[in-house]
């Protein structure tokens, strides 16, 4: 099987890692990990380290990777409105607290992966820029602003990134976005505690992500002296966190059922996570969002938004338009 991966860590400038001739093995191991939105439908995979190469080789590496058999169809505004309205109705009825309405946008033109990767790296220096491909996953590229969980300098770190408005807004955040954010923050904090870690919750602040800004709270846990995590424990925490309510809703099991019944497409690896795992204390997993998947004749882009009882369908559509523009403005013709 042909397989490759490439990434640029946040704040790393032009320092990139690209590996070709990779083996793909199930589960979390040393290498580049790609986990799906639904772990009961698709495999969590590790791309083992292969031969290192340059970003300019991405398009060549992607050639020959199997893609979907037919071109997906873009989500219409009417479909998205119906999805949001149903989710709001279910939330008001008390069946759940939050859901996430996602949509897909098909772009019918050739896209250069290498040029788009480099432009995303320039435009979004604090995002995780990634590209990976295999016959199992297809070919993905994105610029994620959201850490799922990372291990560095003796500390585990995650973030709640939820609540969205246009960049540069003045004044306080509204009740809808604050409630949406707090659901995600509390879920992550509880997941750390359930995995026998003692999380510390930072202050909530505004973080810019291209054309939009989010509420963000860091949750971290110093690794006790003499304590050694392992890939099993790291994997259990990552899989416990994914998908967070920021990508699915809450409670997660009920939100997952509602997403399934509302959306007309399979998210596959959108909404899951990906990133490098070097050791138990050196790994970086990011949520797969602000991303696209290669399809015959073009690509399909994904975007979603958190829904609660205060959501307005028109506002939610505008939010997804803003999120899609992160990639759209950086697509380069191939």
């Amino acid at each position: 099987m042909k397989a490759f991966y490439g990434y640029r860590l946040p704040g790393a400038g032009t320092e990139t890692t690209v590996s070709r001739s990779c083996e793909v093995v199930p589960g979390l191991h040393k290498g580049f990990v790609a986990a799906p939105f639904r772990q009961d439908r698709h495999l969590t995979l590790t791309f083992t380290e292969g031969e290192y190469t340059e970003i300019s080789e991405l398009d060549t590496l992607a050639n020959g990777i199997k893609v979907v058999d037919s071109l997906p169809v873009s989500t219409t505004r009417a479909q998205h409105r119906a999805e949001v309205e149903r989710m709001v109705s279910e939330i008001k009825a008390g069946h759940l607290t939050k859901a996430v309405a996602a949509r897909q946008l098909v772009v019918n033109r050739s896209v250069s992966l290498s040029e788009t990767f480099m432009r995303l790296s320039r435009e979004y220096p604090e995002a995780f820029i990634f590209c990976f491909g295999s016959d199992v996953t297809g070919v993905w590229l994105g610029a994620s602003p959201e850490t799922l969980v990372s291990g560095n300098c003796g500390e585990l770190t995650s973030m709640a990134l939820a609540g969205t408005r246009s960049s540069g807004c003045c004044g306080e955040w509204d009740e809808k976005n604050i409630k949406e954010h707090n659901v995600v923050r509390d879920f992550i904090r509880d997941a750390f505690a359930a995995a026998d870690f003692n999380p510390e919750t930072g202050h909530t602040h505004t973080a810019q992500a291209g054309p939009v800004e989010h509420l963000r709270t860091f949750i971290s846990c110093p690794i006790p002296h003499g304590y050694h995590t392992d890939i099993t424990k790291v994997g259990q925490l990552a899989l416990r966190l994914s998908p967070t309510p920021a990508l699915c809703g809450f409670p997660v099991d009920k939100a997952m059922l509602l997403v399934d019944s509302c959306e007309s497409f399979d998210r596959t690896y959108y909404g899951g996570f990906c990133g490098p795992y070097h050791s138990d204390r050196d790994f970086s997993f990011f949520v797969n969002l602000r991303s696209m998947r290669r399809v015959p004749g073009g690509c399909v882009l994904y975007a979603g938004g958190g829904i609660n009882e205060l959501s307005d369908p028109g506002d939610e559509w505008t939010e997804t338009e803003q999120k899609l523009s992160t990639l759209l403005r950086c697509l380069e013709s191939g």
Side-chain angles (χ1 to χ4, degrees):
M1 178 193 303
K2 288 187 176 182
F4 70 94
Y5 66 85
Y7 64 88
R8 196 286 314 267
L9 291 170
T14 59
E15 184 179 341
T16 58
T17 299
V18 182
S19 186
R20 64 184 182 186
S21 302
C22 305
E23 293 184 13
V24 179
V25 295
L28 287 87
H29 308 279
K30 184 177 179 181
F32 184 91
V33 175
F37 175 71
R38 287 202 58 149
Q39 298 157 26
D40 58 342
R41 287 187 179 172
H42 303 280
L43 291 172
T44 295
L45 301 169
T46 297
F47 295 63
T48 63
E49 295 178 357
E51 303 170 359
Y52 291 105
T53 186
E54 303 296 326
I55 286 294
S56 59
E57 294 296 311
L58 284 180
D59 293 285
T60 301
L61 296 174
N63 290 337
I65 298 288
K66 184 170 63 179
V67 294
V68 293
D69 295 330
S70 59
L71 195 65
V73 177
S74 295
T75 306
T76 67
R77 186 161 189 164
Q79 288 174 324
H80 188 259
R81 170 176 284 275
E83 181 180 354
V84 172
E85 289 176 343
R86 182 177 171 195
M87 288 180 172
V88 170
S89 176
E90 293 289 325
I91 292 167
K92 286 183 176 179
H95 297 151
L96 68 168
T97 303
K98 177 186 175 180
V100 173
R103 55 178 281 221
Q104 57 183 13
L105 174 67
V106 177
V107 176
N108 293 306
R109 70 171 186 268
S110 177
V111 172
S112 168
L113 297 176
S114 59
E115 292 298 321
T116 303
F117 187 105
M118 289 187 286
R119 186 168 182 184
L120 286 169
S121 297
R122 293 192 299 269
E123 294 284 333
Y124 304 106
E126 297 306 315
F128 175 66
I129 314 301
F130 64 91
C131 185
F132 64 88
S134 74
D135 288 344
V136 177
T137 60
V139 176
W140 290 82
L141 182 146
S144 176
E146 184 171 351
T147 301
L148 179 72
V149 61
S150 65
N152 189 18
C153 298
E155 187 170 71
L156 297 174
T157 303
S158 184
M159 70 167 67
L161 191 74
T164 305
R165 66 185 186 183
S166 299
S167 289
C169 286
C170 298
E172 300 296 322
W173 284 79
D174 61 24
E175 182 184 2
K176 182 264 181 185
N177 282 293
I178 292 172
K179 291 182 69 173
E180 180 185 340
H181 175 82
N182 290 347
V183 167
V184 179
R185 179 201 61 198
D186 294 347
F187 171 86
I188 295 173
R189 187 171 55 199
D190 292 346
F192 267 72
D196 297 326
F197 295 112
N198 184 23
E200 300 174 358
T201 305
H203 295 293
T204 301
H205 57 280
T206 300
Q208 186 174 350
V212 297
E213 57 191 26
H214 304 287
L215 285 168
R216 181 171 67 184
T217 305
F218 287 105
I219 295 98
S220 61
C221 171
I223 301 175
H225 180 70
Y227 177 83
H228 294 281
T229 62
D230 58 27
I231 187 62
T232 300
K233 188 136 181 122
V234 167
Q236 288 173 345
L237 178 60
L239 296 173
R240 187 189 294 269
L241 287 170
S242 180
T244 74
L247 274 296
C248 180
F250 187 81
V252 171
D253 54 349
K254 293 182 178 180
M256 191 81 76
L257 291 173
L258 184 56
V259 166
D260 271 354
S261 64
C262 288
E263 291 179 358
S264 60
F265 60 93
D266 186 346
R267 295 186 184 183
T268 66
Y269 287 82
Y270 166 69
F273 65 90
C274 61
Y277 177 86
H278 302 297
S279 72
D280 57 3
R281 290 172 176 259
D282 182 11
F283 63 93
S284 302
F285 295 150
F286 296 83
V287 181
N288 180 341
L289 76 168
R290 308 294 197 275
S291 57
M292 56 165 252
R293 179 171 57 97
R294 235 185 182 189
V295 295
C299 58
V300 55
L301 281 60
Y302 299 88
I307 309 300
N308 60 27
E309 73 277 10
L310 301 175
S311 295
D312 173 78
D315 292 343
E316 296 300 330
W317 179 266
T318 298
E319 180 179 322
T320 59
E321 290 280 276
Q322 291 174 320
K323 290 176 176 177
L324 287 167
S325 69
T326 297
L327 266 178
L328 282 172
R329 65 192 300 267
C330 289
L331 292 181
E332 297 281 350
S333 298

